[in-house]
C-alpha cells in the first residue's frame, strides 16, 4: 500500500474511533464516517468493504495502542509504582475505553478475526502482569481479578449522561480516583447480604 493510501486508511480509523467516543455506534452510518474523515464514500468502502471490517480495523488499532501503553507501564513500574499505575489508568480512561470497547466488541468473542483475537490475548496477558505488579505494591487488593479490573475501568470511563454531568463538576473523572482507591481495598465480602433487611 502506498504511503498516502496508508495514511488515509489510518486517518479513517482514528476518525472512526473518535466518533465512537461521542456517538452511539448504531447512530453512525458509513456516510457519516466518510464525511467526518473527509473522504468519499467510495474511498471508505474501497478501504473497508463493510462496517464489521471497519470496526475490526478500529479494534486492532485500539488493542495496539493499549498494548503499547501496557508495555511502557510494565517496563517503568519499578521506578514509581503508584505514579505509573495512576498514569496508565488515566491514559486508558482519557482515551474513552468505555465508549470504544462496547462499540467495537462483537456479540461473541469467537467472532473476532484471528489477528484481533491474538491482540486480545496479548492484552489480557499484559493486564495480568500489571495487576500482579500493582498487587505487589499494595495498589490492588489480592481478591481483584484482572477481568474484574478491566470491566470496572470500562464501566467508569463511559461518557456521563448529559443530565447528570451538571450535578458535579468533573464528577466523571473523579470516578477514576474513587475506582483506583477501591481497588486497593478489594470487594466487600458481605455485599448483598443485607438486601431486604431493615
Amino acid at each position: 500500500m502506498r504511503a498516502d493510501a496508508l495514511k488515509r486508511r489510518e486517518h479513517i480509523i482514528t476518525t472512526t474511533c473518535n466518533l465512537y467516543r461521542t456517538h452511539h455506534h448504531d447512530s453512525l452510518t458509513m456516510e457519516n464516517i466518510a464525511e467526518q474523515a473527509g473522504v468519499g464514500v467510495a474511498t471508505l468502502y474501497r478501504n473497508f468493504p463493510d462496517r464489521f471490517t471497519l470496526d475490526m480495523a478500529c479494534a486492532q488499532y485500539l488493542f495496539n495502542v493499549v498494548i503499547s501503553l501496557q508495555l511502557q507501564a510494565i517496563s517503568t513500574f519499578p521506578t514509581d509504582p503508584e505514579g505509573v499505575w495512576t498514569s496508565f489508568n488515566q491514559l486508558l480512561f482519557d482515551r474513552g475505553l468505555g465508549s470504544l470497547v462496547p462499540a467495537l466488541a462483537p456479540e461473541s468473542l469467537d467472532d473476532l478475526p484471528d489477528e484481533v483475537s491474538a491482540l486480545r490475548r496479548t492484552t489480557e496477558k499484559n493486564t495480568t502482569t500489571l495487576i500482579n505488579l500493582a498487587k505487589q505494591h499494595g495498589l490492588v487488593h489480592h481478591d481483584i481479578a484482572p477481568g474484574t479490573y478491566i470491566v470496572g475501568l470500562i464501566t467508569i470511563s463511559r461518557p456521563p449522561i448529559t443530565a447528570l454531568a451538571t450535578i458535579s463538576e468533573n464528577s466523571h473523572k473523579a470516578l477514576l480516583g474513587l475506582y483506583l482507591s477501591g481497588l486497593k481495598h478489594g470487594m466487600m465480602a458481605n455485599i448483598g447480604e443485607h438486601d431486604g433487611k431493615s
Side-chain angles (χ1 to χ4, degrees):
M1 185 178 289
R2 298 193 324 269
D4 59 335
L6 181 59
K7 186 176 181 179
R8 186 185 307 113
R9 177 184 171 86
E10 291 174 348
H11 175 66
I12 292 170
I13 290 171
T14 56
T15 298
T16 304
C17 287
N18 287 332
L19 285 170
Y20 286 167
R21 289 187 180 98
T22 55
H23 296 75
H24 189 277
H25 178 277
D26 294 336
S27 72
L28 292 167
T29 65
M30 292 290 270
E31 289 74 18
N32 296 147
I33 293 168
E35 181 181 358
Q36 290 297 315
V39 300
V41 175
T43 299
L44 179 60
Y45 277 107
R46 191 160 51 246
N47 283 272
F48 307 101
D50 54 48
R51 187 65 170 272
F52 182 76
T53 304
L54 174 58
D55 284 351
M56 290 304 99
C58 289
Q60 194 167 0
Y61 168 80
L62 177 62
F63 275 126
N64 279 318
V65 168
V66 171
I67 288 168
S68 177
L69 293 174
Q70 288 178 323
L71 294 177
Q72 174 71 14
I74 290 169
S75 67
T76 58
F77 213 95
T79 63
D80 179 14
E82 185 163 14
V84 170
W85 177 241
T86 301
S87 176
F88 170 73
N89 282 282
Q90 183 73 60
L91 286 169
L92 292 184
F93 185 88
D94 289 343
R95 278 171 168 72
L97 200 66
S99 302
L100 289 170
V101 172
L104 301 175
E107 289 188 12
S108 170
L109 293 177
D110 294 334
D111 294 335
L112 289 172
D114 291 343
E115 62 273 17
V116 180
S117 288
L119 291 171
R120 182 180 68 85
R121 289 191 295 272
T122 299
T123 303
E124 289 177 346
K125 179 182 176 183
N126 291 341
T127 298
T128 299
T129 299
L130 277 167
I131 288 293
N132 288 337
L133 285 169
K135 287 179 178 180
Q136 290 170 20
H137 291 88
L139 300 169
V140 173
H141 194 272
H142 66 82
D143 68 4
I144 303 293
T148 302
Y149 155 75
I150 195 63
V151 169
L153 186 60
I154 289 169
T155 301
I156 66 160
S157 60
R158 289 177 177 172
I161 298 170
T162 304
L164 298 181
T166 59
I167 293 177
S168 175
E169 187 176 353
N170 294 323
S171 61
H172 186 222
K173 289 196 172 185
L175 286 176
L176 179 61
L178 289 170
Y179 179 63
L180 294 179
S181 177
L183 288 176
K184 291 183 180 181
H185 298 286
M187 296 180 289
M188 292 176 61
N190 63 345
I191 194 165
E193 290 182 4
H194 302 291
D195 290 350
K197 295 181 181 180
S198 59

